[in-house]
């Protein structure tokens, strides 16, 4: 074991030399605070004119992206402490701060100790700006009584985020960018109200295309053409999820028109973000056409022909057309026509029981002016 002593003494002396010889920014042969342009997220700090014999250490600072939207998201700031000979310092406190610009360092991460690779990482949040603004970050620490610091910059951008309705239809479609709501109903549904269900997805991204999370977005009707339809917003405000998306649930109601008639409306929606005070909101529009058609059933009276014979009354039934109906006889002195209380049954009553031979017409007219007739003989 005796032969190990000289080796141990030599190694211990080397360690003491490295730890005891840390310099400061006053040393003209070494720049302990590289300019921001010398530092990037992918490149290590630059050590110019540094001698490993001096045992000097430097700090470099980098951010994980060059820009982000105002009041949206966060970025990572990484400080790298490294010696000129490649040595790293573990468990060294590094202080992060904003030297200039509207940004804040996470209060829990204003001071972070370096890991086994000599790195310390903090989180920075952008503040509110109305135009593109630069932010300067600073990281600083002390190694063996020598103070060293580094700077880097990033930009906060404003007004380049995007909000959009997610739809497969093109913006130039003549019936709007949303799916057309169109329904044809049977004649007996005229006057009834129907509700269409719409699910309207939206997507919100920042200026770099990253999803904006947790942002309130509100939908409303910006304008509509005829007023034939109405909308009910089940959730007029949504909060964007982790993908920057939300879905509005909307009911669109319209009343079935009279038979043979189509009612149409054109509705434009507007979606607006809720931003911090003084920050312009993002907005987007989308539109669609809704229509409702009621089928027309031809007006008829049956049977088409009938004879009194020994009877004094003949019965007929009206179908189709548009109520209410009115009935008449082509020759009231011979036969009169009576519409019964149910509104669809007709009685032809024999007035003249003589042996007349010319047929008499029993006519029906509906609310739209359509007519039908049956023929009766003696």
């Amino acid at each position: 074991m005796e032969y190990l002593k000289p080796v141990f003494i030599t190694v211990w002396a080397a360690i003491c030399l490295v730890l005891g010889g840390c310099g400061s920014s006053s040393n003209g042969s070494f720049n302990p605070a590289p300019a921001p342009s010398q530092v990037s997220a992918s490149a290590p700090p630059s050590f110019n004119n540094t001698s490993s014999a001096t045992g000097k250490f430097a700090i470099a600072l980098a951010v994980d992206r060059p820009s982000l939207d105002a009041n949206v998201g966060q970025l990572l700031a990484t400080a790298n402490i490294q010696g000129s000979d490649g040595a790293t310092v573990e468990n060294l406190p590094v202080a992060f701060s904003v030297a200039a610009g509207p940004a804040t360092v996470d209060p829990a991460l204003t001071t972070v100790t370096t890991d086994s690779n000599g790195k310390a990482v903090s989180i920075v949040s952008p503040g509110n700006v109305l135009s593109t603004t630069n932010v300067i970050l600073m990281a600083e620490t002390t190694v063996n009584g020598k103070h060293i610091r580094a700077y880097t910059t990033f930009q906060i951008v404003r007004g380049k985020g995007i909000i959009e309705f997610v739809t497969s239809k093109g913006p130039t479609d003549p019936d709007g960018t949303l799916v057309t709501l169109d329904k044809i109903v049977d004649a007996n549904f005229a006057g009834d109200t129907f509700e269409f269900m719409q699910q309207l997805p939206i997507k919100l991204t920042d200026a770099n295309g990253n999803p904006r999370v947790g942002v309130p977005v509100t939908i409303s009707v910006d304008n509509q053409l005829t007023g034939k339809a109405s909308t009910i917003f089940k959730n007029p405000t949504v909060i964007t999820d982790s993908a920057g998306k939300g879905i509005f649930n909307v009911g669109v109601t319209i009343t079935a028109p009279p038979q043979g008639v189509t009612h149409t409306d054109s509705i434009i929606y507007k979606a607006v973000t809720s931003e911090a005070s003084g920050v312009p909101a993002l907005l987007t529009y989308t539109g669609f056409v809704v229509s409702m058609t009621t089928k027309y059933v031809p007006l008829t009276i049956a049977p088409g022909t009938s004879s009194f014979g020994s009877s004094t009354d003949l019965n007929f039934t009206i179908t189709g057309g548009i109520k209410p109906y009115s009935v008449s006889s082509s020759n009231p002195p011979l036969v009169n026509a009576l519409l019964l209380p149910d509104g669809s049954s007709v009685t032809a009553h024999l007035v003249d029981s003589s042996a007349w031979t010319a047929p008499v017409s029993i006519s029906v007219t509906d609310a739209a002016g359509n007519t039908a007739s049956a023929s009766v003989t003696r």
Side-chain angles (χ1 to χ4, degrees), residues 30-363:
F30 176 60
N31 178 12
S37 61
Q38 294 178 293
V39 180
S40 68
S42 59
S46 173
F47 300 96
N48 298 321
N49 304 318
T50 303
S51 168
S52 61
T54 63
K56 300 296 177 68
F57 284 82
I59 180 173
L61 179 61
V63 289
D64 64 341
R65 47 183 161 153
S67 65
L68 72 169
D69 239 21
N71 285 323
V72 180
Q74 297 171 318
L75 55 75
L76 297 179
T78 302
N80 186 13
I81 315 298
Q82 194 173 43
S84 57
D85 57 358
T88 59
V89 181
E90 188 176 359
N91 294 323
L92 181 69
V94 178
F96 293 86
S97 61
V98 176
T104 56
V105 177
D106 188 324
L109 299 172
T110 55
T111 299
V112 183
T113 56
T114 56
D115 59 18
S116 59
N117 296 314
K119 294 183 178 181
V121 180
S122 185
I123 297 175
V124 181
S125 299
N128 175 30
V129 296
L130 299 180
S131 60
T132 299
T133 303
N134 291 326
V135 175
I136 301 175
L137 297 180
M138 181 176 69
E140 54 188 331
T141 189
T142 300
V143 182
N144 290 335
K146 305 297 183 181
H147 192 74
I148 56 177
R149 65 173 61 89
Y151 300 86
T152 191
T153 64
F154 70 91
Q155 282 190 330
I156 302 176
V157 296
R158 162 54 58 191
K160 296 183 179 179
I162 295 176
I163 180 174
E164 58 185 342
F165 284 95
V166 181
T167 174
S168 60
K169 296 190 69 178
T172 59
D173 283 353
D175 56 352
T177 57
L178 299 179
V179 174
T180 297
L181 305 179
D182 187 11
K183 188 173 182 64
I184 300 175
V185 298
D186 290 334
N188 58 304
F189 289 111
D192 291 350
T193 298
F194 293 81
E195 183 177 50
F196 295 94
M197 306 301 284
Q198 279 182 323
Q199 292 182 343
L200 306 179
I202 54 99
K203 183 178 181 180
L204 183 61
T205 55
D206 64 18
N208 298 308
N210 302 306
R212 291 185 59 185
V213 180
V215 179
V217 180
T218 301
I219 191 173
S220 63
V221 173
D222 184 71
N223 64 83
Q224 64 185 101
L225 190 60
T226 67
K228 296 293 186 182
S230 60
T231 54
I232 302 172
F233 297 107
K234 311 297 183 181
N235 56 333
T237 299
V238 298
I239 307 298
T240 55
D241 61 16
S242 58
K245 296 181 179 180
I247 299 179
F248 296 105
N249 199 15
V250 186
V252 180
T253 61
I254 188 169
T255 300
Q259 290 185 39
V261 177
T262 298
H263 281 173
T264 303
D265 206 348
S266 176
I267 298 177
I268 305 298
Y269 292 141
K270 177 174 68 175
V272 184
T273 61
S274 178
E275 306 286 359
S277 177
V279 178
L282 298 176
L283 61 89
T284 187
Y285 297 91
T286 192
F288 68 100
V289 170
V290 56
S291 67
M292 175 76 73
T293 301
T294 303
K295 292 179 181 179
Y296 174 74
V297 177
L299 179 66
T300 61
I301 181 170
T305 60
S306 185
S307 298
F308 282 103
S310 60
S311 300
T312 58
D313 292 302
L314 298 175
N315 294 320
F316 298 86
T317 301
I318 304 170
T319 58
I322 302 170
K323 291 183 176 182
Y325 307 123
S326 62
V327 296
S328 63
S329 168
S330 63
N331 195 341
L334 298 181
V335 179
N336 65 18
L338 176 65
L339 182 66
L340 300 184
D342 65 5
S344 298
S345 300
V346 179
T347 295
H349 178 69
L350 181 64
V351 177
D352 184 348
S353 59
S354 65
W356 45 269
T357 57
V360 176
S361 293
I362 303 300
S363 299

